[in-house]
Amino acid sequence: MSCAEPPLAFFTPANDEERGELSAFFDVSLDLLVIRDIHGFVIRVSPSWQRTLGWSPEEILGTRLLDLVHPDDLPDTKDSAVEVENRRLGDPIHGHINRYRHKDGHYLTVEWRAQRLGDYVYGVARDVTERVAAEQALREAKAAAVAANVAKSDFLANMSHEIRTPLNGVIGIVDALSRTQLTPEQTEMVELIRGSGVTLERLVSDILDVSKIEAGQLDLEARAFDLDEALEPLSVVKTRAVDKGLSFTVNRTAEARGVFVGDSTRIRQVLGNLLSNAIKFTTQGGITVDIAVETVSDAPRLTIAVEDTGIGFDADHAARLFERFNQADGTITRRFGGTGLGLSICRSLVGMMDGEISATSTPGKGSCFRFSVPLERGAPVVETGVAPMPMIARALRVLLAEDHPTNQRVVQLILQGQGVEVEIVENGADAVDAFKADEFDLVLMDMQMPVMDGLSATRAIRAVEAASPQRLRVPILMLSANAMDEHRAAGAEAGADGHIAKPITAASLLAGMQDALAA
């Protein structure tokens, strides 16, 4: 190994005893020990150099360590050497990682600690090649996982849009059809179609929720709400139970009333899922719901139990019940349908709310699902006496930007009996042109359209208003099959006043318009 000529002065212990101690220390070390002078020339190395890097102590003696460093690591290594040589006593010792050439030509990664004492630098290094490689592999795996999650979220968002767009036509038109004169047989058929559409919409929502939970993108609200709002599924399921010939009993304590602070949407989602399962798996008998608010450690806690007289399940199946894509019995999927996502989502949501969920059951006799979540009491709602403006109160001119013909017709059918004049354009650019040329009371803006998307069109309309101070600000509602929180936030950032998720119903569209016009 070639090198510059070393100095002739070598490090020597003071006496034989010190020489023996130093030799023993060097000989037994598994790490790489080295002593070099201030000029960088090696004075002594441990035998471990040969075991790790292939160089014998005799081959290393008198050489410069920098000659073994990987060329790409030389600048940082030189900076580290200068730091060591100029370090004062008491200063922190900084480590350094670089690559050293093995005698056979390949490189190993080593981690250094060094300290100067007089004219010598004492260093110890450890082979960390496998550790660094493992850390790099972990970083790459995490990056790949993040990229995969982003790709999956984007895919699911696009799939949501593609599924919800035709589904919007089905549910919207059926909703409009149900409000016309129908024979009893036609009414039954309409209700069957409506039920199938609702099931499809719930399936899409479940898949999106799973994606958001896995990606850590599902956030909880903390707002004041009346508990009746969270218990809304009770009235819907009661009707289904009566239609199925089942009894439906609700036991609610006096304390389980009033205003609380939390996420009513997610509580409603968990309750709705448990009630839906109870209805699905119960053919005779009935369903009992117990609702209570108890104070635990000076904090209110909402507890809801849903008990049915359905098919039930045994203890072995109970252990797997809340797992994703799992159900108590594999044959249940074939007998009753379902994805096995609902209870897994319930467990995740309850856990996010710092709550607990459990299930007990007896095969053939029924099941009881119970969940509890901590809630804070909120201030009573003060009635202001200001009600949302009725849609019938005055004629409205509405600009609808929607490229799908079926969805255009859905909005027309909903609004035609409300004293609303609807002008339709098929893309965002035409919406901006129409807005410039005429006056409207409200804009309904689809998010995904050709030529110009809804977000760009919304920003352009707000720019038109800003350039014409005499024009009143017109409410803009996004109509979107993209139901994720980030899409709602994107609409708000662009200047929209609200977001109505597809599939659109008369109730959701009219309520959204009322809120926007009353704001």
Side-chain angles (χ1 to χ4, degrees), residues 306-364:
V306 178
E307 187 172 3
D308 62 60
T309 57
I311 61 174
F313 49 86
D314 59 31
D316 290 339
H317 290 139
R320 303 193 307 271
L321 201 59
F322 292 98
E323 295 177 4
R324 193 160 297 163
F325 305 111
N326 214 327
Q327 292 179 320
D329 183 350
T331 61
I332 287 178
T333 302
R334 295 188 292 274
R335 291 169 58 197
F336 296 97
T339 61
L341 289 174
L343 289 178
S344 171
I345 294 172
C346 287
R347 181 183 62 178
S348 297
L349 293 177
V350 171
M352 291 175 64
M353 291 185 282
D354 296 325
E356 300 173 347
I357 187 169
S358 61
T360 57
S361 182
T362 301

Side-chain angles (χ1 to χ4, degrees), residues 42 57 80 140 187 204 239 259 270 302 312 337 368 382 415 466 501:
V42 175
S80 178
E140 292 174 355
T187 300
V204 173
T239 302
V259 177
V270 174
L302 171 66
C368 181
V382 178
L415 297 182

Side-chain angles (χ1 to χ4, degrees), residues 15-294:
N15 51 54
D16 291 342
E17 183 179 357
E18 288 186 0
R19 278 194 294 273
E21 291 175 351
L22 185 62
S23 295
F25 181 68
F26 267 58
D27 290 343
V28 301
S29 176
L30 295 176
D31 291 330
L32 307 176
L33 304 182
V34 62
I35 302 174
R36 69 168 178 86
D37 66 16
I38 200 65
H39 303 291
F41 291 97
V42 175
I43 304 302
R44 182 166 186 170
V45 297
S46 59
S48 55
W49 278 74
Q50 186 163 9
R51 294 190 297 271
T52 302
L53 288 167
W55 303 102
S56 68
E58 292 75 20
E59 291 173 306
I60 297 292
L61 188 65
T63 65
R64 291 192 336 140
L65 291 177
L66 290 177
D67 294 336
L68 298 178
V69 175
H70 192 287
D72 292 346
D73 296 344
L74 270 175
D76 287 344
T77 301
K78 290 179 179 179
D79 290 342
S80 178
V82 170
E83 186 274 326
V84 171
E85 292 165 4
N86 292 279
R87 186 187 302 150
R88 295 173 298 182
L89 287 177
D91 287 349
I93 297 177
H94 300 289
H96 180 69
I97 294 179
N98 57 10
R99 288 167 290 177
Y100 265 61
R101 188 175 74 250
H102 192 280
K103 189 174 182 179
D104 65 11
H106 73 279
Y107 284 85
L108 296 179
T109 304
V110 293
E111 183 174 9
W112 284 94
R113 293 290 189 278
Q115 182 65 47
R116 177 179 177 178
L117 186 60
D119 291 333
Y120 299 99
V121 174
Y122 299 80
V124 56
R126 177 170 296 175
D127 180 6
V128 293
T129 304
E130 292 184 1
R131 191 196 79 191
V132 170
E135 291 172 349
Q136 179 62 25
L138 181 60
R139 285 192 294 270
E140 292 174 355
K142 287 182 177 179
V146 169
N149 261 333
V150 170
K152 181 176 67 176
S153 296
D154 290 343
F155 171 77
L156 288 174
N158 289 331
M159 286 303 298
S160 168
H161 180 270
E162 294 302 319
I163 294 172
R164 286 176 186 270
T165 296
L167 189 59
N168 177 65
V170 174
I171 293 180
I173 290 177
V174 166
D175 183 70
L177 182 60
S178 69
R179 292 181 284 109
T180 64
Q181 293 294 325
L182 300 173
T183 66
E185 185 180 8
Q186 290 171 332
T187 300
E188 181 182 4
M189 289 188 288
V190 166
E191 288 304 315
L192 288 172
I193 297 172
R194 189 207 302 270
S196 297
V198 170
T199 299
L200 284 172
E201 199 275 334
R202 179 180 171 187
L203 173 61
V204 173
S205 297
D206 281 351
I207 293 173
L208 290 175
D209 277 345
V210 168
S211 174
K212 288 187 284 186
I213 289 169
E214 285 184 345
Q217 297 174 346
L218 194 149
D219 297 321
L220 297 177
E221 288 184 328
R223 65 173 182 85
F225 67 94
D226 192 291
L227 190 56
D228 287 344
E229 179 184 330
L231 303 179
E232 183 181 336
L234 291 173
S235 59
V236 177
V237 175
K238 181 178 181 179
T239 302
R240 292 174 58 192
V242 171
D243 291 342
K244 200 172 179 180
L246 303 173
S247 65
F248 191 84
T249 304
V250 176
N251 300 316
R252 184 175 178 182
T253 65
E255 292 76 18
R257 300 182 186 278
V259 177
F260 294 85
V261 176
D263 194 325
S264 64
T265 300
R266 297 307 176 182
I267 295 173
R268 184 167 63 245
Q269 183 177 355
V270 174
L271 175 59
N273 205 304
L274 298 183
L275 289 172
S276 179
N277 283 344
I279 287 286
K280 181 194 298 186
F281 300 130
T282 304
T283 57
Q284 59 182 0
I287 297 168
T288 301
V289 182
D290 293 316
I291 306 167
V293 172
E294 301 174 344

